[in-house]
Structures are given as C-alpha cells and as structure tokens.
Amino acid sequence: MLTNAPTKNPTILAWLEDKLDLVKPDKVVWIDGSKEQTEALRAEGCSTGEMIKLNQDLLPDCYLHRTAVNDVARVEARTFICTPTEEEAGPTNHWMDPAKCYEMLYDIAKDSYKGRTAYIIPYSMGPVGSPFSKAGIELTDSIYVVLNMLIMTRVGFDVLDCLGDSDDWVRGLHCKCDIDAEKRYICQFPQDNTIISVNSGYGGNVLLGKKCFALRIASYQGKMEGWQAEHMLILGVENPQGEVKYICAAFPSACGKTNLAMMIPPEGYKAKGYKVWTVGDDISWIRKGPDGRLYAINPENGFFGVAPGTNMKSNPNALLSTKKGAIFTNVCHNLENNTVWWEGLDKNPPENAIDWTGIPWNGKVDTDRPGANPNSRFTAPAVNCPCLSSEFENPQGVPISAFVFGGRRARLAPLVYQSRDWNHGVFVGSIMASETTAAATGAVGVVRRDPMAMLPFCGYNMADYWQHWIDIGAGLDPEKAPKIFNVNWFRKDDEGHFMWPGFGDNLRVLEWILKRCEGKVGAQETAIGYLPFAEDINIEGLEGEVTLDSLRSILDVDKKLWLDDAKGIEEFYAKFGDRLPPVLRKELDTLKANCAE
Ligand code: GTP
Ligand code: SPV
Ligand code: MN
C-alpha cells in the first residue's frame, strides 16, 4: 500500500505496512502540511458534511465540526496505561495487560478503514530540530483529526528528514470505527512508544499528539531520560524595565490555564508597562539547561481551548486567536451570519441557529438548553495569538522562575501560598485537589485528588512520578531551582460567590510570586507554608470588589479544615503502599503536626 513513501525509515515503513494491512483502507494519503493539500482536505470534509465552512469574510479559513453526541469529552474510564505489570501503571490509572489489550484493539480495528482513506500524519511535538522535540506518526481515518493536527502540531516531511532512520518516534493509530461508546478505548503502551485510540472522534481522545503523546507517553519518556512532561501553561511576565520572567502553572482541565496564559494585565499594571506573553497554554516539556536552570518548551503549535466563557472581556487574546484558520468543535452555529456562538460569548444568543447536537435552536426561547456543549472547543493556530511570546519557537525553551499548582476549590486552599522548599513543593503538588469539570465525561463539581493536574495524564505509577519530581529537585542547585507555589482562584464565600475576581487580576498574585522568587517581599510562615501579608498583594483598582479584609479571608488558613484534609491525603497516599516516596510521608506528618498545634 505504501508507494512513494517520503521516508526510508525501516521502522516507520514496517509499522505502517502492518497497520494498513490490519485496517484495510481503500486509499492512503501522506499529509505533507502544504497549503494546497490542506485546502483540498477542507473541501473534501465539507463535501461530506463532516466540516462546515463558516463565513469567510468574518472568519477566514474557519470551520465548524460536530462530534457524535456520545463523544464530546475525554473518557477517563476508558483510558488505559498498558505497562507489563499493573504495578507500573499504579493505582490511579486504568491498566490492561499489553498483549490482551493489543488483541482486543486489533480485533476492533480490523478492516475498519474499508471504504475509507488512511491519512498518515508525520508530526513533531516541539520545534522541528529542537533538542526537546519528539516525532510522531498518526495514522487516522478522520479528516477532522488531520485538520486539527495541522493546527496543533508541526506537520510535514521535514519531520521525517530530521528523524532519519531513528526508532525514536511515537506510533499512533486512530480508528473512528462506529463511534461506539461501549467499544471506545484510548490506550497507551509506554514501553512500545505506541498509542491506539478507537471509536472516538473527539479532541483529546484522537489528536494523539496532545494528551496521549505529549503527556502520557512523554511523562514516561521523561522519567527514563531525565526530563519532565507536565500539564502546565507557560507564560512570561514582562516588568516595566523590560525583563521577562517565566512561570509554568499546572491546573486541571478547564481550571484556567488558557485564561492565565493569555491574560490582559489590569489597567494600573498596563499603565506601568507590564506585559504578559504566552509560550504555551496546556503542556510543558521541561529539562535542565547548560546553566543549571530548568527550561521549558511548549510542544504544541496551537490551542485547543474551552469555548464557553471566552469573550472579549474574559480572554480577548484567545478570542482573537480564533478569527482565522480555526476549527470550532461542538459550538452553536449562528445561521444569521454563518458564524459561531457559545454561552458567555456575548449577551446576544442567535435566534436562528443550530445547537451543538445539530438541531435548530433559538437562544431567546431555548434558554433551558445550551447552544454550545459545555466542553465545546476552538482549535486555533498559536501564531494568531496577539500576545504570543517571541520565544515561542526558541528550540532551547525559556528559563523557569516558578512552578504554580492550582485547582478549583470552593474552600480550604488560600488564594496563594509558597512551599518551604522543593520537596515541600512536590508535596503541595501531590495533594492538589479540584472539582471535576466538563472536560472529561462523568460527574461535574466533585472534589477529587488530582496531583500536579496529572491524574488522567500520568503514563506510569504516580508514586514513581513524585519520586521523579524529587530526583529532579535533588539535581538542581537550590538557588537556581524554580520556587513552588499553589494558587486557588475559585474560593467561594458562604453565598457561593467567587471571592477573587480572577482572570487579568491574577497578575496581582503572579507579581507577589515573582517578588518572592527574587527575595523582594516577606511572607508569614504558617502551618501549610509561606503566605502573603495581605498588604503585599496589590489591590489598587479593585475598590468595591476586594478589600484588605476580604483578602485576609481568602488568605486564611483554617488548621482544623487542613487536619481534616490531611485524613483525605492519608487515604490517597495509602493507595501507593511502599512506593510512596518517604519524603512525602514526612511532609504529611509535618503538616499534621503543624495543624495540631
Ligand atoms: P483545558 O483546556 O481543559 O486544559 O482547560 P484550561 O485549564 O485551559 O481552562 P480555561 O482557561 O479554558 O478555563 C476554563 C474555565 O475556567 C472557563 O470557563 C473560565 O471562564 C474559567 N476561569 C478561568 N480563569 C478563571 C479565574 O481566574 N477565575 C474564575 N472564577 N474562573 C476562571
Ligand atoms: C484537557 O482536558 O485538559 C484538554 C482538552 O486540554 S483535551 O485535549 O480534550 O484533553
Ligand atoms: Mn488541558
């Protein structure tokens, strides 16, 4: 089937021959990343109804796609880490024996491309040729996947040229099959550099470069090779003197990474000359540089962002990024001008529209059902982003000053605190908890442990992953190691209102964080770590929204509540048995002792 292959790499050719023989397509197409081919694929997608061409005057090169109603989010219960032993996957992952899993998947995938075209996508995670970058090949029968991968990754034959005869590339097989939710599986085989995804056509389940490769497989590669793959945004804060400091922040899905990465500084900060630059909004690959500091790259080339709530006030940079060459998934189709709409875009829902499920919708009348799916998304090229960092393509990445962990917690976690040192910071990341969101199927709003925002994305035993964090820290000069913080933008008062305005005003907290990194501001030592003195968080311009008193209450540490939480941590840690790093056990004992005082 493989005539005119643009590579002679024997491992690639053998794998493709084998998989094509299994799925039996009518036709095979290599994706070269060219404009002409992309345009032809868009046209073909439109001819079958898979893609809808939007108003080209208002949204040039933009398209809409609706997935099956049963297929709108990641499926954590059907996501498997297939390591030789169950121990290696650990208690927080679903595990299947690799041989059994391959057999099951091959049975499902067999002949599934009959009557369809196979697309072979050679792609790079990270700038082509960067020492951080890794190559992948995704074989798919979906034009939607091809068009999204063209935005989210670097696609083209130069990736194959760079790879040469190397075996260091990630195999990805995606088969739409019948989108049967009962036969949907997203399986990672870390030891084999392999991902197989069947019976889905949605985002994170099928854009295999993203969560499957850049986090699940890459986290394992990082463990073996001495680097880190993290569910973290990367942003640069430029101060009025023109110095830029970089921060990596890990929040669970739909907890504010894209928003923080692209934030607009509050007026007072803008006037002083502060700027925020986006390097990445979801994933970081991190390693030690020649100067002993940690450097991060964003392995992606676009943003797969949550649409609802995105508007010109909350996140203009994200919205502006979607104005050309974007794909919208499961948003509302505004028939009045052939554009798109979602809840929170503006206060004018279209009266003549098609909702995300494909049925007529009138935003003025159908107020009891949403026009857009709560997890509807835009796929936007990074180059569109008005605040894209000039370092975005830097193959060496950017030096990291601070790691920030954070979740959605109505109670307990204060607005911000700093860990006492690296290992305490690893503890702070390991005990993260957050309310679940629409980004994954299942209940929404339930608090669960989500260490480092990696619960659904860690490709091996989470206890070993924590040990890896500890080992990385041990290899750093403490003076050069990023400082580790925790934030919570989502604290609520007794009436259920958010106590902190969030969004652009989060820069006020980042300013404190960066000052701490430079030793320019004091802090109070508490049972859980260093907290700001309320006076040290700048609330100028927030009159009426935040007062020193309300700030004090979001910075409050209730030792009784923390002692209660320690019980939950204890139970969570117990799952890992002897594999739990002793350092973390010691940190938990310290927390308990501090809170009991
Ligand atoms: P994934 O793409 O799923 O990884 O999500 P994400 O972490 O990038 O989250 P995103 O920035 O898309 O935000 C998700 C939701 O959180 C949106 O509905 C935002 O409106 C809301 N949000 C983001 N930042 C804040 C904040 O500072 N305060 C409050 N209250 N809500 C926020
Ligand atoms: C997330 O859920 O964290 C996402 C979206 O970034 S997805 O690509 O579907 O995983
Ligand atoms: Mn994410």
Side-chain angles (χ1 to χ4, degrees):
M1 298 227 69
L2 275 178
T3 45
N4 294 330
T7 174
K8 292 196 169 63
N9 184 311
T11 61
I12 294 179
L13 297 177
W15 183 80
L16 283 173
E17 288 286 4
D18 190 53
K19 294 303 163 291
L20 290 169
D21 193 46
L22 172 77
V23 296
K24 298 249 173 2
D26 283 13
K27 214 174 119 190
V28 178
V29 173
W30 285 85
I31 303 300
D32 60 16
S34 70
K35 266 205 167 104
E36 299 71 33
Q37 190 187 46
T38 303
E39 201 43 57
L41 287 168
R42 287 167 168 166
E44 194 180 332
C46 289
S47 73
T48 61
E50 187 178 347
M51 309 299 294
I52 297 167
K53 192 171 191 164
L54 295 166
N55 184 325
Q56 296 295 295
D57 294 325
L58 298 174
L59 296 168
D61 293 329
C62 290
Y63 292 80
L64 166 66
H65 173 78
R66 285 190 283 267
T67 64
V69 173
N70 75 14
D71 188 28
V72 297
R74 285 182 294 100
V75 279
E76 296 181 0
R78 310 195 70 91
T79 298
F80 291 83
I81 300 296
C82 305
T83 42
T85 65
E86 188 166 2
E87 252 317 275
E88 285 163 271
T92 54
N93 279 316
H94 300 287
W95 174 82
M96 235 190 278
D97 171 68
K100 279 202 189 119
C101 191
Y102 278 127
E103 196 185 321
M104 176 194 75
L105 293 169
Y106 289 159
D107 201 42
I108 294 171
K110 193 172 181 314
D111 298 340
S112 67
Y113 283 26
K114 272 200 173 154
R116 302 180 184 180
T117 301
Y119 301 100
I120 303 169
I121 314 171
Y123 66 96
S124 173
M125 298 311 290
V128 180
S130 156
F132 283 72
S133 297
K134 295 258 181 197
I137 305 265
E138 177 163 358
L139 182 59
T140 178
D141 55 345
S142 158
I143 287 184
Y144 167 76
V145 167
V146 175
L147 294 175
N148 274 276
M149 287 293 282
L150 282 163
I151 299 173
M152 294 304 296
T153 73
R154 284 130 170 127
V155 174
F157 294 166
D158 53 343
V159 177
L160 298 170
D161 298 340
C162 261
L163 194 60
D165 277 350
S166 165
D167 190 24
D168 185 11
W169 56 278
V170 170
R171 292 106 175 108
L173 172 63
H174 166 238
C175 310
K176 276 193 293 192
C177 303
D178 309 314
I179 316 290
D180 178 349
E182 297 303 315
K183 290 190 183 154
R184 184 169 300 151
Y185 293 99
I186 318 298
C187 301
Q188 283 69 203
F189 302 83
Q191 279 81 357
D192 301 345
N193 261 353
T194 296
I195 305 156
I196 302 180
S197 162
V198 293
N199 276 298
S200 174
Y202 176 80
N205 296 333
V206 298
L207 309 179
L208 301 186
K210 197 171 175 59
K211 297 304 168 53
C212 302
F213 176 174
L215 288 178
R216 297 195 190 100
I217 297 284
S219 61
Y220 175 79
Q221 293 177 329
K223 168 84 172 169
M224 305 308 283
E225 299 166 7
W227 54 281
Q228 295 172 274
E230 301 294 340
H231 192 197
M232 290 179 169
L233 66 91
I234 311 166
L235 65 73
V237 178
E238 180 176 334
N239 69 16
Q241 291 75 48
E243 298 158 344
V244 186
K245 295 259 155 47
Y246 295 92
I247 296 175
C248 280
F251 310 151
S253 303
C255 289
K257 288 182 300 301
T258 302
N259 277 276
L260 191 71
M262 299 182 189
M263 67 143 95
I264 304 275
E267 284 307 328
Y269 282 78
K270 259 199 256 177
K272 276 188 227 153
Y274 277 92
K275 291 187 184 123
V276 170
W277 301 107
T278 309
V279 181
D281 81 324
D282 199 47
I283 298 174
S284 298
W285 284 1
I286 303 158
R287 65 179 72 205
K288 197 158 113 175
D291 63 356
R293 298 186 65 189
L294 287 185
Y295 283 74
I297 65 156
N298 168 13
E300 302 191 280
N301 202 26
F303 311 115
F304 186 59
V306 177
T310 305
N311 59 54
M312 275 314 275
K313 190 159 174 277
S314 67
N315 194 346
N317 288 318
L319 195 61
L320 293 170
S321 302
T322 68
K323 296 298 181 190
K324 58 174 189 250
I327 297 172
F328 298 91
T329 303
N330 295 336
V331 301
C332 176
H333 188 190
N334 181 350
L335 297 180
E336 287 159 19
N337 56 3
N338 189 24
T339 60
V340 289
W341 190 85
W342 49 76
E343 278 63 29
L345 174 66
D346 55 41
K347 297 213 165 76
N348 298 308
E351 290 178 42
N352 179 17
I354 303 285
D355 77 1
W356 68 273
T357 69
I359 63 171
W361 188 78
N362 178 335
K364 294 272 180 319
V365 178
D366 298 322
T367 47
D368 56 338
R369 61 191 175 97
N373 184 279
N375 190 39
S376 54
R377 300 233 167 201
F378 53 79
T379 317
V383 289
N384 285 1
C385 182
C387 58
L388 190 70
S389 164
S390 59
E391 300 299 298
F392 176 72
E393 294 283 352
N394 185 338
Q396 306 303 329
V398 293
I400 301 307
S401 298
F403 283 128
V404 179
F405 296 119
R408 216 176 248 278
R409 290 202 87 172
R411 307 252 171 272
L412 194 74
L415 179 63
V416 58
Y417 68 103
Q418 182 187 0
S419 66
R420 286 183 291 270
D421 54 32
W422 180 276
N423 282 349
H424 179 231
V426 177
F427 172 75
V428 167
S430 80
I431 66 167
M432 262 173 71
S434 192
E435 296 161 23
T436 51
T437 66
T441 54
V444 167
V446 181
V447 176
R448 69 170 186 187
R449 294 279 155 208
D450 189 349
M452 282 83 170
M454 283 289 277
L455 182 73
F457 307 121
C458 186
Y460 60 104
N461 192 307
M462 185 70 78
D464 299 349
Y465 164 84
W466 291 329
Q467 186 59 53
H468 185 47
W469 263 89
I470 293 165
D471 294 342
I472 292 277
L476 296 173
D477 171 351
E479 291 295 310
K480 293 181 178 171
K483 305 283 179 279
I484 304 180
F485 299 80
N486 192 88
V487 299
N488 178 18
W489 316 137
F490 300 93
R491 250 312 251 266
K492 286 185 178 167
D493 62 18
D494 292 339
E495 279 86 54
H497 303 123
F498 288 121
M499 295 168 78
W500 176 250
F503 301 97
D505 289 310
N506 293 333
L507 184 59
R508 300 166 187 278
V509 174
L510 298 189
E511 185 188 22
W512 182 80
I513 286 175
L514 289 173
K515 276 191 185 159
R516 285 295 296 166
C517 292
E518 294 166 46
K520 287 186 182 157
V521 67
Q524 40 182 335
E525 227 178 311
T526 75
I528 62 168
Y530 298 119
L531 261 89
F533 294 106
E535 299 74 19
D536 288 334
I537 302 271
N538 174 14
I539 53 171
E540 233 177 83
L542 284 181
E543 290 79 14
E545 269 185 281
V546 180
T547 62
L548 265 187
D549 274 344
S550 73
L551 192 54
R552 274 188 199 106
S553 62
I554 339 176
L555 289 171
D556 164 62
V557 176
D558 184 333
K559 288 197 206 172
K560 223 176 120 272
L561 284 182
W562 277 95
L563 258 187
D564 263 0
D565 204 58
K567 284 188 207 131
I569 301 168
E570 190 102 49
E571 277 167 34
F572 183 58
Y573 274 2
K575 293 186 185 180
F576 299 92
D578 289 348
R579 264 181 130 109
L580 181 78
V583 163
L584 296 186
R585 152 80 33 213
K586 229 179 90 217
E587 292 290 348
L588 176 57
D589 290 342
T590 307
L591 175 71
K592 285 198 291 193
N594 288 352
C595 291
E597 270 170 19

